[in-house]
Amino acid sequence: EAEVAQSPRYKITEKSQAVAFWCDPISGHATLYWYRQILGQGPELLVQFQDESVVDDSQLPKDRFSAERLKGVDSTLKIQPAELGDSAMYLCASSWTSGGGYHGELFFGEGSRLTVL
Amino acid sequence: TQLLEQSPQFLSIQEGENLTVYCNSSSVFSSLQWYRQEPGEGPVLLVTVVTGGEVKKLKRLTFQFGDARKDSSLHITAAQPGDTGLYLCAGALGSGSRLTFGEGTQLTVNP
């Protein structure tokens, strides 16, 4: 069964350091999402890609976060410099192109757990 | 303020009991989804509802979308320990718009 792959699974870093997360979506999924989830809360959308283009990054803290999906397949989310408040689970998800009046199913990876010390 | 308010935030029950969790908003959604998330994993879709008043059943789970498409409920009959998890509702305001998640209901079913 096809899955969304994410790495690393866990990352511990000190504040002010740079950190990067990688995501490989399900083959053929044009839409890719990065969500941030604080423990016990719902996921918050950081950025949404349609192929290689950003379609929504309104909630991305652009002074320290960046995301790219250069060839419209896998994606990288970077944080530089990391702050204590960035400690969270970073979830990647993919879907077929949403449309037809309703939102398609999101397939999530297992996430990357970030701890900033 | 949250676009989607879920209640209760936490629920701990005994095996065999019934329960209902709620997802409410002042906004009208084109579609609403329910996901379940287990510790250390990503959310997994349970159901998508698109029509006001729609009721969908998935084994012991019954999902209802409000007539005005502003709210939804999830009812579980005869809960089992395997139902334990974080239940998340997520709504889209229109076709192609962002999917926004609620804060979730953390359900614990004790044997």
Side-chain angles (χ1 to χ4, degrees), chain A residues 30-31 34 43 59 70 81 88 96 98 101:
Chain A
T31 311
W34 283 102
Q59 301 299 312
L70 292 177
W96 299 106
S98 62

Side-chain angles (χ1 to χ4, degrees), chain B residues 4-17:
Chain B
L4 285 164
E5 299 282 348
Q6 290 193 243
S7 61
Q9 187 176 0
F10 299 96
L11 187 57
S12 180
I13 61 171
Q14 294 301 120
E15 182 176 2
E17 293 183 0

